[in-house]
Amino acid sequence: MALVHDLAEFERATEPPALRADTLRDALFGPRALAAADVAVLDGSVVGVAVWFPTFSTWTGTPGIHLEDLYVQPIARRLGVGRALVAGLARRCAERGWSRLEWTVLDWNASAHRFYRALGAAPLEEWDLWRLDGEALAQLARD
């Protein structure tokens, strides 16, 4: 949970995460798990996490992975931790015959842009992320 709060601070969140420990446990380990997490451990402490879930592409007809969050504590940056976490997801895709590994990046996070480009990734052209949440989601659900 501490890494989630660290990530929120890094991302300049205006409100703290609403996630609770029991919700996270159920999402990752419950009988109907919705996501998975790979962790990086250094000297016995968790210093990085990649939270992800499977996706499906109607274009390729194959599954893929959406990387929801990648966070490495400042103490472990530039040690290859982030690269190892993303490479692990790439291996999982390759081993399973999955065609994509995708994620979003904050537009102001230039260091993440450089990191991902160094891995060979590129931003998608002509695609914008859209979201329906809060009252708008509730209203549409009532319609």
Side-chain angles (χ1 to χ4, degrees), residues 108-122:
W108 56 259
N109 194 344
S111 63
H113 294 196
R114 286 189 301 274
F115 169 71
Y116 292 129
R117 285 183 192 279
L119 296 178

Side-chain angles (χ1 to χ4, degrees), residues 18-126:
L19 180 68
R20 298 184 329 260
D22 61 330
T23 306
L24 180 61
R25 183 190 64 246
D26 290 347
L28 297 177
F29 306 111
R32 297 177 65 135
L34 300 170
D38 296 351
V39 297
V41 178
L42 183 65
D43 296 330
S45 297
V46 174
V47 295
V49 63
V51 178
W52 61 274
F53 54 87
T55 61
F56 180 79
S57 168
T58 55
W59 191 258
T60 65
T62 60
I65 287 177
H66 177 81
L67 174 59
E68 177 65 18
D69 288 312
L70 176 68
Y71 182 73
V72 176
Q73 291 182 327
I75 180 176
R77 292 185 188 152
R78 303 210 179 271
L79 299 178
V81 172
R83 186 181 204 300
L85 286 166
V86 177
L89 295 176
R91 276 191 298 281
R92 187 173 282 114
C93 284
E95 291 166 358
R96 296 177 180 183
W98 294 4
S99 61
R100 294 179 177 173
L101 172 55
E102 300 175 312
W103 58 91
T104 59
V105 182
L106 290 165
D107 59 1
W108 56 259
N109 194 344
S111 63
H113 294 196
R114 286 189 301 274
F115 169 71
Y116 292 129
R117 285 183 192 279
L119 296 178
L124 294 176
E125 299 294 328
E126 301 181 359

